[in-house]
Amino acid sequence: MKVWLDALTPKQAILMASFLTELNKYGFSAFMTTRRYEYTESLLRKLGISFYSIGRHGGGSLRGKLIADISRMKSLVRIVEKEKPSILIAYTSPSAFRVAYGLGIPIIALTDTPHAIAVNKLTLPLARWIIISKCIERCEIERFIVDGKLIQYDGVDELAWLKNFKPQENVLEELGLSKKEKIMVFRPEEEKAAYYRGKKAKYTIILKSLLDCVDKIVFFPRYKSQVTKIKRSIGKSIDEHVIIPSEAIDTRSLYMYSALVISGGATMAREAALLGTPSICYFPLELSVNKCVRAWGCPLYHCKDVKDVIELAKEILRNPYNYHVNTSEIIKRKQSPLDVVLKILRELRSNE
């Protein structure tokens, strides 16, 4: 049985890379497809994963997203017909789902974003299995399902790559940092996503307000335009305060040596909190998965208002290690989505 894995974002890349490694251990053949989008390709290279890079991000406009997906589908068809997979495993990727469905390839879908209504409508009706965390109410996803089977597990996606993780100190050397410095990791919001349309970006105000509270800020942009805005906002002193990695780095290790993580999305904040580092998520909605992680005892905080983000960040940064938590037992007892995926694939293989 050959498995096709598709990854559109850095989070999906590390998740699918974790799946690919484990699938190979259990005798499954697998290949990966991705696209040109911020750190995704360089992250897969860093993880030692071979991949086909097909297409690009469509930008912020509806037309741009549509044209990019149409173009990517045409190229994916050629790769898929060459590789002949038996099944697709992916997050909600419209181009991959449409190609798989059109070629009669069953789909295992993963998602933790019930709020991504447009993408869910385009993808989840086509999936045979839909895997979600128990943190998400079934009704939030069931409204998008036509014939698929919804399966829940007691954990979150991030556990797929955090369960056996050991931090590597050399990440600090790569960035020119030391353990003596007070480091903050910052990830801006996904301002070009459909669910962010019409909302004002907050990252420049937050980041600029916290420059004097830390020794260094490691900034992970989603788009080149965000780098331009940050440079314009901070000015010539940016090199003294902010590090902007040109390629993917081992962010998991970086969290372990950081005082605080702030993210306009959810994944990096959850990752860090699961590893015990205090994290602030300023995503507009309070996500059910984040509530769950916080209820488990991880130091994950949510603030909608810029003022609240800045005040809480300053409070944490005054004595950050009062906010750090030993989360090893939480990670040990919770499930990874890989457990569900492997069960499905084993059943399919036994019926071949």
Side-chain angles (χ1 to χ4, degrees), residues 92 97 101 109-132 136-150 195 285:
T92 47
F97 277 51
Y101 185 78
L110 296 101
T111 183
D112 64 359
T113 55
H115 55 276
I117 294 171
V119 171
N120 290 338
K121 283 181 176 180
L122 287 170
T123 56
L124 295 182
L126 306 181
R128 188 174 297 181
W129 300 270
I130 300 94
I131 301 170
I132 64 169
I136 300 170
E137 295 287 341
R138 294 180 68 90
C139 61
E140 292 187 80
I141 297 297
E142 282 175 333
R143 59 185 172 143
F144 301 112
I145 297 174
V146 176
D147 297 316
K149 180 180 179 182
L150 183 62
Y195 51 76
L285 305 172

Side-chain angles (χ1 to χ4, degrees), residues 82-268:
K82 171 188 167 187
E83 292 284 354
K84 297 180 172 54
S86 303
I87 195 161
L88 166 67
I89 303 174
Y91 245 68
T92 47
S93 166
S95 50
F97 277 51
R98 182 63 187 90
V99 168
Y101 185 78
L103 295 176
I105 299 165
I107 301 164
I108 298 176
L110 296 101
T111 183
D112 64 359
T113 55
H115 55 276
I117 294 171
V119 171
N120 290 338
K121 283 181 176 180
L122 287 170
T123 56
L124 295 182
L126 306 181
R128 188 174 297 181
W129 300 270
I130 300 94
I131 301 170
I132 64 169
S133 166
K134 282 186 177 179
C135 298
I136 300 170
E137 295 287 341
R138 294 180 68 90
C139 61
E140 292 187 80
I141 297 297
E142 282 175 333
R143 59 185 172 143
F144 301 112
I145 297 174
V146 176
D147 297 316
K149 180 180 179 182
L150 183 62
I151 305 170
Q152 290 181 287
Y153 66 98
D154 186 18
V156 290
D157 293 337
E158 290 78 10
L159 291 170
W161 61 88
L162 295 180
K163 270 192 171 289
N164 301 308
F165 170 69
K166 292 186 173 77
Q168 303 296 315
E169 198 173 317
N170 63 357
V171 69
L172 297 177
E173 293 175 25
E174 289 178 31
L175 295 169
L177 296 168
S178 76
K179 286 196 284 187
K180 294 179 181 178
E181 292 178 293
K182 188 182 285 187
I183 302 162
M184 184 175 80
V185 175
F186 197 102
R187 175 78 154 160
E189 55 266 45
E190 171 55 289
E191 58 184 330
K192 294 184 182 180
Y195 51 76
Y196 250 113
R197 191 169 291 113
K199 294 180 173 65
K200 188 177 179 180
K202 302 174 180 178
Y203 58 94
T204 53
I205 301 169
I206 297 170
L207 191 147
K208 195 172 181 180
S209 299
L210 298 173
L211 289 176
D212 295 333
C213 300
V214 292
D215 294 310
K216 288 288 184 180
I217 296 172
V218 185
F219 182 73
F220 290 96
R222 297 174 188 271
Y223 307 101
K224 289 181 180 178
S225 59
Q226 293 176 329
V227 176
T228 302
K229 286 180 186 177
I230 284 295
K231 287 182 175 178
R232 189 164 57 235
S233 176
I234 297 174
K236 293 180 181 178
S237 65
I238 188 167
D239 292 336
E240 298 172 31
H241 301 285
V242 182
I243 296 170
I244 304 173
S246 57
E247 292 194 338
I249 63 162
D250 180 4
T251 50
R252 293 170 293 176
S253 291
L254 180 61
Y255 303 145
M256 302 297 283
Y257 301 109
S258 297
L260 175 65
V261 173
I262 300 179
S263 178
T267 300
M268 290 185 81

Side-chain angles (χ1 to χ4, degrees), residues 265-278:
T267 300
M268 290 185 81
R270 271 201 305 273
E271 280 180 308
L274 283 161
L275 291 171
T277 298

